[in-house]
């Protein structure tokens, strides 16, 4: 009798077999159990998982899988297992006998075989042999973490393993794959040829399509291809002939490494691409002629690359390694905090744009600090590199617009939900004129990814609507920026068969009906993103249809990489298709072993102009940029004219790698180095205030190359409206804006005279009342606690807790008592950047946040007993409230109370230290407590 059994990828695998002593043994036949023969599991066990070569895979952790089998002849049997595992995944083996008695072994199958695919299958025998009598048995594998991938079991009296050539399990796997391939590839050649004929008509000036052939990235997030997605090496840069379908490898000498993304030169003769040679090295930018000549490397690792990796890699001690392993077992083996340069595109001035981790910023919502940000860089034709952005989190996929600007995806969260705000932005090739294109007020899709402009349509763009996790795949969107950017009216689904309405995964429309709206939350705080019950019961899906890399041939036709129905990270699931907005999906290239990416027609295109922004040399020398607001009231509905007196200049500060901690206890709410209690994940500092004239105009300078955002203040320095995004102004840049939260549809207020602010020289940000300097950190202990000590703590302390409120400054595990009291008592509305993750990025009208909406401020304004605070104390309190409840003014130092006796415990923040990546105490010394 033959039984089959399937084991899941991640689960507790239970095999129950009962050992029974027998006196007389007779010859016994082999009993074969394949993975699909399993009888039950406590979780999601897929008996033949296509993504993993049809092996048995358990999806999840902590589960069990059980198989039944029958013994005809008594004898002493061994249990041989054919499995594959890229890491140690021990599980417990249990055998249940016909009479119900159970025999449980110690953990088994704990060794790695080198990978999770059929090529990695290895026979092993369990450490014990069992005396079995005729009857029905069951075997169960149980596990706490993840389960190896299984082909099956051989229960035998033989002591040798099956011959590889005659292995029945491998033969069956091969046969299943052969049958599946026949069905999948039926009529492929005929269909692909017909589609190439369509393309020849649509692209009369193109003879070939450039693309990348490699296996699918295994990325945990949309932005982590270079961190944990680059697992399976081997790739080719290819040309597909539209005439006969033949494929030419342009640079076969690089086929052992990984090519991520590519772009074509304007003359259609060269290609620029990112390439990773091997594990332990970063991606670099390369260039080659389409005929294969002229191969050259364009970016190189910094001179101190080895020292950087040695200092920052996350597997160098047990504490950090364990943090990583709990977070992502794959990434720990692929990313060592080397420098990565990737996603290149040619610039019209002869240089190229790309994104890079050379900024050395940690992702702010990453408690273990294993993930790294990438920001936009450029290189001139001589190879000189220049950083164009100082973003706190990631930027990606730059491409050129016809007006010469760079289009790219920018993730941010200045008082926004941390996983939703990945809109489209544009900037000039020198980094000036940074501006939003679309999407920062849209909750879902989370990511507007891999965008390109529609040819001849300067207001229209095609992109992928992708989730935050696991990878940047999704649905094809057409974005029209003539519509209000705060609404979803400017988005059309080209591929309505798939949507993205969750933080993780994708959503299929219910009953096959197109999903025709994007999620648009109401204008209230802390919106919870609820499941749309009009969708099918399964909600999320992790399989196709999934799209990537849309290249527009026009407004209606697109080249894409497309996976019709397989799991998202199936290595060979993605082919090249021609799609349109009428629902046609026609394949023109597929490969049996590889996926295909980044399709680009090979043809010459017009060289865009090189936009030149106004830059003042004197300001540039001072590292300033100038900003002119013509009317602060424009777009700020409900605010009486004359009520705005000042603008406060703030900076959203990235967390540098040098603030990495090699000790435990300081993380909170996904903050690697805690900054707040359930509010801001990133730290901000203040650069001072500038005056607003009676006509609403302002003229001032701000620090260049910083993440600058503004707050409109009344005469008491209280916030009326907040800019919940940032702009990087380049040195010497001179910019103007119409007003606060301007929209494309807003027209300037008609004026009969020059704005008052332009009749004088620019203002330099200065201090508020009670401040020695306008440039200062924001620190609760230094700013607010002294105010509470002077006016509140006498009645609100541990002994005299009036109203149940304690406002004394006694330290707690990570904060102090008064801070935790105020943050937990609804003292003022604040944006929880992690609560919810998917939300809190919608537009909020004036007076929604900060001082004006604070219950604490309202209580004190009405008169609270005999409390009389001078303006200086009011400013300290309300500025902190307007900071979204920040507690710490530095990323550096130890913050957990258990380190109170160490020299770097909760250091007093110094403004100059917030502007540099140099810690006040060197990390290695701090790690040892010296």
């Amino acid at each position: 009798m033959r039984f089959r059994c399937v084991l899941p990828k991640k689960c507790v695998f239970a095999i129950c077999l009962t050992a029974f002593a027998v006196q007389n043994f007779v010859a016994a036949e082999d009993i074969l159990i394949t993975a699909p023969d399993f009888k039950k599991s406590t979780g999601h066990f897929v008996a033949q998982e296509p993504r993993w070569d049809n092996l048995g895979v358990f999806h999840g952790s902590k589960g069990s899988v059980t198989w039944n089998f029958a013994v005809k002849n008594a004898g002493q049997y061994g249990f041989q297992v054919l499995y594959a595992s890229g890491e140690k995944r021990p599980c417990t083996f249990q055998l249940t006998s016909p009479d119900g008695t159970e025999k449980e072994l110690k953990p088994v199958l704990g060794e790695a075989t080198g990978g999770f695919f059929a090529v990695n299958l290895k026979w092993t025998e369990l450490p014990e042999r069992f005396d079995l009598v005729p009857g029905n048995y069951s075997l169960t594998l149980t596990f706490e973490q993840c389960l190896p991938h299984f082909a099956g079991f051989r229960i035998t009296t033989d002591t040798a393993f099956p011959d590889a050539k005659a292995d029945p399990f491998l033969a069956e796997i091969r046969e299943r794959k052969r049958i599946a391939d026949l069905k999948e590839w039926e009529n492929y050649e005929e269909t692909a040829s017909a589609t190439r004929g369509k393309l020849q008509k649509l692209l009369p000036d193109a003879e070939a399509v450039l693309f990348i052939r490699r296996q699918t990235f295994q990325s945990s997030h949309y932005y982590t291809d270079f961190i944990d997605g680059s697992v399976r090496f081997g790739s080719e840069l290819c040309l597909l002939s539209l005439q006969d379908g033949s494929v030419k490898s342009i640079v076969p000498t690089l086929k052992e490494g990984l090519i991520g993304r590519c772009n074509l030169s304007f003359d259609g003769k060269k290609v620029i691409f990112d390439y990773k040679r091997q594990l332990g090295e970063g991606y670099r930018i390369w260039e080659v002629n389409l005929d294969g000549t002229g191969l050259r490397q364009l970016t190189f690792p910094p001179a101190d690359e080895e020292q950087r990796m040695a200092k920052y890699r996350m597997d160098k001690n047990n504490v950090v390694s364990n943090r990583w392993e709990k977070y992502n077992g794959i990434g720990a083996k692929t990313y060592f905090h080397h420098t990565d340069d990737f996603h290149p595109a040619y610039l019209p001035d002869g240089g190229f744009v790309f994104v890079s981790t050379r900024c050395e910023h940690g992702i702010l919502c990453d408690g273990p600090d294993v993930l790294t940000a990438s920001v936009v860089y450029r290189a001139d034709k001589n190879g000189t590199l220049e950083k164009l952005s100082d973003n706190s989190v990631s930027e990606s996929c730059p491409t050129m617009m016809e007006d010469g600007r760079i289009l790219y995806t920018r993730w941010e969260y200045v008082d926004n939900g941390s996983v939703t705000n990945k809109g489209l932005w544009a900037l000039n090739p020198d980094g000036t004129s940074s501006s939003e294109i679309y999407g920062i007020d849209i909750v879902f899709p989370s990511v507007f990814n891999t965008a390109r402009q529609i040819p001849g349509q300067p207001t229209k763009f095609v992109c992928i609507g992708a989730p935050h996790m696991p990878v940047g795949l999704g649905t094809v969107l057409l974005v029209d920026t003539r519509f209000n950017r705060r609404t979803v009216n400017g988005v059309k689904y080209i591929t309505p068969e798939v949507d993205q309405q969750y933080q993780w995964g994708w959503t299929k429309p219910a009953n096959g009906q197109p999903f025709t709206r994007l999620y648009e939350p109401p204008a209230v705080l802390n919106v919870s993103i609820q499941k749309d019950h009009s969708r099918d019961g399964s909600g999320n899906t992790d399989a196709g249809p999934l799209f990537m890399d849309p290249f527009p041939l026009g407004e209606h036709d697109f080249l894409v990489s497309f996976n019709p129905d397989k799991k998202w990270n199936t290595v060979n699931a993605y082919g090249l298709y021609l799609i349109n907005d009428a629902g046609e999906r026609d394949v023109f290239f597929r490969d049996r072993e590889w996926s295909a990416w980044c399709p680009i027609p090979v043809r010459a295109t017009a060289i865009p102009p090189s936009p030149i922004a106004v830059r003042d040399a004197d300001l540039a020398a001072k590292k300033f940029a100038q900003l002119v607001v013509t009317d602060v009231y424009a777009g700020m509905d409900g605010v009486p004219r004359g009520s705005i007196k000042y603008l406060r200049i703030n900076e959203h500060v990235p967390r540098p790698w040098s603030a990495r901690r090699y000790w435990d206890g300081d993380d909170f709410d996904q903050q690697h180095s805690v900054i707040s209690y359930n509010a801001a994940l990133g730290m901000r500092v203040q650069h001072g205030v500038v005056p607003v004239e009676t006509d609403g105009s302002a003229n001032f300078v701000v620090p260049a190359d910083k993440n600058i955002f503004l707050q409109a203040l009344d005469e008491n320095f209280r916030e009326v409206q907040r800019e919940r995004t940032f702009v990087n102004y380049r040195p010497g840049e001179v910019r103007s804006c119409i007003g606060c939260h301007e929209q494309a549809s807003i027209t300037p207020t008609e004026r009969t005279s020059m704005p008052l602010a332009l009749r004088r020289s620019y203002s330099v940000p200065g201090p508020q009342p009670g401040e020695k300097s306008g440039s200062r950190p924001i620190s609760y202990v230094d700013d607010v606690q002294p105010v509470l000590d002077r006016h509140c703590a006498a009645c609100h302390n541990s002994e005299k807790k009036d109203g149940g409120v304690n406002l004394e400054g006694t330290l707690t595990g990570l904060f102090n008592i008064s801070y935790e009291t105020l943050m937990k008592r609804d003292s003022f509305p604040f944006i929880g950047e992690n609560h919810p993750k998917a939300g809190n990025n919608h537009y909020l009208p004036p007076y929604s946040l900060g001082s004006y909406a604070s219950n604490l401020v309202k209580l004190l304004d009405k008169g609270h007993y005999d409390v009389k605070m001078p303006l200086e104390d009011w400013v300290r309190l309300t500025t902190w409230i307007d900071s979204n409840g920040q507690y710490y003014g530095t990323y550096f130092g130890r913050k957990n109370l258990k380190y109170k006796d160490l020299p770097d415990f909760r250091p007093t923040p110094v403004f100059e230290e917030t502007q540099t990546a140099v810690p006040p105490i060197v990390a290695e010394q701090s790690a040892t407590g010296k």
Side-chain angles (χ1 to χ4, degrees):
M1 180 180 295
R2 184 176 182 183
F3 292 83
R4 299 185 176 186
C5 67
V6 178
L7 299 181
K9 171 186 178 182
K10 295 181 178 181
C11 66
V12 175
F13 182 73
I15 299 180
C16 303
L17 299 169
T18 300
F20 194 87
V22 213
Q23 297 298 325
N24 299 313
F25 296 96
V26 296
E29 79 286 1
D30 284 350
I31 304 167
L32 299 179
I33 306 174
T34 66
D37 296 322
F38 82 103
K39 295 305 176 184
K40 64 180 180 178
S41 72
T42 62
H44 183 44
F45 181 72
V46 179
Q48 295 174 240
E49 173 59 271
R51 169 190 164 195
W52 302 104
D53 292 346
N54 286 318
L55 298 179
V57 173
F58 190 95
H59 292 286
S61 60
K62 194 173 183 179
S64 65
V65 183
T66 299
W67 289 262
N68 295 341
F69 67 95
V71 173
K72 290 183 178 179
N73 301 310
Q76 189 176 69
Y77 288 78
F79 287 79
Q80 298 173 351
V81 185
L82 186 61
Y83 77 102
S85 186
E87 60 189 7
K88 293 183 178 181
R89 292 184 171 182
C91 49
T92 300
F93 174 90
Q94 187 181 59
L95 177 67
T96 303
S97 66
D99 64 0
T101 59
E102 297 179 350
K103 173 71 174 180
E104 184 171 331
L105 292 183
K106 296 178 180 179
V108 296
L109 309 180
E111 296 303 314
T113 68
F116 294 98
F117 294 84
V119 70
N120 307 115
L121 285 169
K122 177 183 177 181
W123 280 103
T124 189
E125 183 163 347
L126 302 187
E128 293 186 36
R129 298 179 71 85
F130 297 93
D131 294 331
L132 304 183
V133 297
N136 295 321
Y137 294 78
S138 67
L139 60 90
T140 300
L141 290 180
T142 302
F143 52 96
E144 289 296 319
Q145 297 300 321
C146 299
L147 193 65
H149 297 183
F150 285 86
F153 304 86
R154 179 185 182 221
I155 303 166
T156 180
T157 57
D158 195 354
T159 57
F161 294 121
D163 182 274
K165 295 181 180 179
D167 192 318
F169 293 103
L170 295 180
E172 181 165 340
I173 289 173
R174 286 193 292 267
E175 179 62 14
R176 291 172 186 162
K177 191 174 189 306
R178 186 187 70 81
I179 294 173
D181 284 349
L182 285 176
K183 183 177 180 181
E184 183 174 355
W185 291 88
E186 187 177 5
N187 301 323
Y188 163 71
E189 294 295 342
E190 180 180 351
T191 303
S193 178
T195 306
R196 292 195 301 271
K198 290 184 181 181
L199 284 174
Q200 287 178 303
K201 294 179 180 178
L202 289 169
L203 298 167
D205 55 347
E207 296 182 354
V209 171
L210 172 70
F211 73 98
I212 295 168
R213 180 160 54 184
R214 61 166 163 75
Q215 297 186 12
T216 307
F217 283 143
Q218 305 296 301
S219 315
S220 61
H221 300 68
Y222 89 94
Y223 63 93
T224 63
D225 293 349
F226 70 98
I227 297 176
D228 54 15
S230 301
V231 177
R232 299 177 65 82
F233 276 71
S235 61
E236 291 182 302
L237 195 63
C238 298
L239 287 176
L240 170 71
S241 169
L242 294 180
Q243 180 65 36
D244 59 15
S246 61
V247 175
K248 173 188 175 183
S249 177
I250 300 173
V251 280
T253 56
L254 300 184
K255 66 181 181 180
E256 301 301 322
L258 267 177
I259 298 172
R261 300 188 63 77
C262 65
N263 269 296
L264 194 65
S265 62
F266 300 110
D267 62 7
K269 297 180 180 180
K270 296 185 295 185
V271 59
I272 192 168
F273 59 97
D274 53 33
Y275 177 73
K276 182 182 180 74
R277 190 169 68 92
Q278 63 185 15
L279 286 178
E281 294 185 11
Y283 279 92
R284 300 285 166 243
I285 309 302
W286 291 66
E287 179 186 63
V288 68
N289 296 325
L290 286 185
D291 63 3
T293 63
L295 177 66
R296 63 181 184 133
Q297 186 174 342
L298 300 180
T299 66
F300 300 86
D304 63 345
E305 182 81 335
E306 294 300 320
Q307 294 93 320
R308 173 189 288 103
M309 291 171 61
K311 181 176 181 179
Y312 292 121
R313 61 187 295 170
M314 296 301 294
D315 63 344
K316 68 180 187 178
N317 62 48
N318 289 334
V319 172
V320 180
S321 179
N322 290 340
R323 272 207 310 265
W324 176 283
E325 289 294 340
K326 291 177 182 178
Y327 186 88
N328 188 319
I330 294 177
K333 301 172 181 63
T334 63
Y335 183 61
F336 306 102
H337 281 78
H338 35 259
T339 299
D340 287 272
D341 306 321
F342 47 98
H343 297 180
Y346 287 104
L347 292 173
D349 59 10
F352 61 91
V353 63
F354 63 104
V355 296
S356 179
T357 64
R358 293 172 188 261
C359 60
E360 298 186 11
H361 297 167
I363 295 296
L364 295 176
C365 55
D366 175 25
D369 200 25
V370 298
L371 303 177
T372 293
S374 59
V375 302
V376 176
Y377 279 71
R378 65 155 291 147
D380 63 22
K381 56 187 176 184
N382 298 317
T384 301
L385 307 185
E386 182 181 9
K387 186 173 68 168
L388 302 185
S389 170
D390 198 45
N391 198 349
S392 301
V393 278
S394 286
E395 297 168 338
S396 56
C397 300
T399 58
M400 291 308 301
M401 297 165 60
E402 291 175 343
D403 63 5
R405 291 184 296 162
I406 299 165
L407 176 71
Y408 66 104
T409 298
R410 186 176 101 171
W411 180 19
E412 61 172 295
Y413 39 89
V414 177
D415 301 338
N416 285 278
S418 61
V419 303
T420 51
N421 196 341
K422 294 105 175 176
L424 300 180
W425 282 72
L427 44 70
N428 289 339
D430 64 354
T432 59
S433 299
S434 175
S435 61
E436 179 203 357
I437 296 296
Y438 197 86
I440 69 171
D441 292 312
I442 307 301
V443 177
F444 292 122
S446 298
V447 188
F448 290 76
N449 199 25
T450 63
R452 293 183 185 269
Q453 183 196 325
I454 302 296
Q457 301 278 349
T459 67
K460 294 183 179 180
F461 305 86
V462 65
C463 65
I464 291 294
H468 183 66
M469 304 169 69
V471 73
L473 308 159
T475 189
V476 181
L477 304 175
L478 183 67
V479 174
D480 190 338
T481 61
R482 292 174 298 176
F483 291 85
N484 189 328
R485 290 195 297 255
R486 292 179 188 161
T487 72
V488 299
N489 298 330
V491 175
K492 173 186 176 182
Y493 281 82
I494 301 298
T495 56
E497 59 264 44
V498 62
D499 194 12
Q500 192 273 305
Q501 294 290 307
Y502 297 86
Q503 175 188 347
W504 197 102
W506 302 269
T507 318
K508 292 181 180 178
N511 305 318
Q513 297 300 311
F515 190 65
T516 56
R517 68 169 179 83
L518 292 139
Y519 187 93
E520 187 171 19
V524 295
L525 284 177
N526 299 316
V527 175
S528 295
I529 307 304
Q530 302 296 331
K531 179 177 178 180
D532 184 339
H533 294 287
S534 69
R535 312 194 69 76
D536 62 10
S538 62
N540 277 86
T541 179
D542 61 0
L546 292 171
F547 300 84
M548 189 59 171
D549 300 327
F551 189 96
L553 307 184
E555 190 173 346
H556 306 286
D557 299 285
F558 310 88
L559 304 184
V560 297
S561 180
F562 178 42
N563 165 12
D565 55 13
K566 291 183 173 56
K567 190 160 184 172
W568 67 271
N569 55 356
T570 302
V571 295
N572 64 343
Y574 296 83
L576 302 182
Y577 284 70
L578 170 65
I579 70 169
N580 61 31
D581 54 5
E584 296 176 325
R585 314 284 185 257
D586 298 322
V587 65
F588 64 92
F589 175 77
R590 281 201 60 194
D591 189 285
R592 294 175 185 267
E593 302 297 327
W594 309 80
S595 286
W597 311 93
C598 294
I600 303 174
V602 177
R603 55 183 176 173
T605 55
I607 299 177
S610 295
I612 300 176
V614 176
R615 301 181 79 167
D616 183 288
D618 291 336
L619 287 175
K622 298 175 183 177
K623 297 184 179 180
F624 279 147
Q626 184 177 357
L627 180 58
V628 175
V629 179
T630 57
D631 184 1
V632 73
Y633 301 100
M636 196 158 60
D637 298 335
V639 178
R641 283 196 165 271
S643 60
I644 303 301
K645 302 298 184 182
Y646 306 96
L647 294 176
R648 183 186 291 136
I649 292 93
N650 299 293
E651 176 194 350
H652 198 255
V653 182
R655 187 183 70 238
W657 285 1
S658 55
R660 172 160 296 156
R661 56 181 172 78
Y662 297 97
W663 56 88
D664 60 8
D666 282 4
D667 57 317
F668 178 82
D669 195 33
Q670 293 187 224
Q671 302 166 70
H672 178 71
S673 178
V674 61
I675 293 297
S676 77
Y677 177 88
N678 290 343
L681 297 173
M683 184 183 75
R684 69 192 68 199
V685 297
Q686 178 182 296
H687 286 279
V689 296
V690 294
V692 174
E693 304 295 338
T694 56
D695 64 348
S697 63
N699 175 16
F700 56 99
V701 293
V702 298
D705 290 332
K706 302 291 184 181
N707 305 322
I708 298 298
F709 65 102
L710 308 176
Q711 291 169 293
L713 311 178
D714 68 6
E715 73 278 6
N716 294 314
F717 299 88
R718 298 181 185 181
E719 177 190 82
V720 174
Q721 181 61 292
R722 183 182 309 174
E723 186 180 18
R724 290 164 57 223
T725 185
F726 69 86
V727 177
N728 282 140
Y729 301 97
R730 299 311 314 281
E733 182 176 5
V734 179
R735 298 253 330 241
S736 66
C737 62
I738 297 170
C740 186
H741 289 270
E742 67 177 86
Q743 293 296 306
S745 58
I746 292 179
T747 57
T749 304
E750 191 171 325
R751 288 183 175 272
T752 58
S753 60
M754 180 182 292
L756 295 176
L758 289 180
R759 301 181 189 182
R760 57 170 174 79
S761 180
Y762 56 75
S763 300
V764 176
Q768 302 177 121
E771 297 175 346
K772 294 180 180 179
S773 170
S775 297
R776 67 178 188 86
I778 297 173
S779 166
Y780 181 88
V781 168
D782 299 290
D783 297 342
V784 179
Q785 191 60 54
V787 174
L788 300 180
D789 290 343
R790 284 192 291 270
H791 304 286
C792 307
C795 297
H796 300 283
N797 54 60
S798 56
E799 296 181 358
K800 186 181 179 183
K801 197 182 297 185
D802 284 9
V805 176
N806 185 350
L807 296 180
E808 65 184 11
T810 303
L811 300 184
T812 62
L814 286 172
F815 307 105
N816 74 10
I817 288 177
S818 68
Y819 176 79
E820 293 189 13
T821 298
L822 293 177
M823 296 298 288
K824 295 175 182 179
R825 288 183 62 89
D826 195 27
S827 302
F828 61 95
F830 57 85
I831 294 287
E833 292 177 351
N834 222 20
H835 310 285
K837 296 175 182 294
N840 276 351
N841 64 321
H842 50 287
Y843 170 74
L844 291 171
Y847 307 109
S848 296
L849 293 171
S851 306
Y852 268 96
S854 168
N855 291 328
L856 174 61
V857 172
K858 291 175 183 177
L859 174 68
L860 295 175
D861 270 343
K862 286 191 302 183
H864 184 62
Y865 295 98
D866 59 349
V867 174
K868 303 292 182 183
M869 292 199 302
L871 180 60
E872 291 81 359
D873 284 355
W874 270 114
V875 168
R876 288 284 178 164
L877 177 63
T878 58
T879 298
W880 167 73
I881 290 174
D882 295 340
S883 77
N884 201 35
Q886 179 170 303
Y887 184 82
Y888 287 103
T890 179
Y891 289 118
F892 296 117
R894 299 184 186 239
K895 297 175 177 178
N896 195 294
L897 188 59
K898 66 183 180 180
Y899 300 121
K900 62 182 177 64
D901 296 325
L902 296 181
D904 62 340
F905 175 68
R906 302 192 187 184
T908 299
V910 177
F911 177 78
E912 288 71 23
E913 291 172 359
T914 70
Q915 305 297 288
T916 178
V918 179
I921 297 179
V922 178
E924 285 80 4
Q925 293 175 334
S926 183
T928 62
K930 296 180 181 178

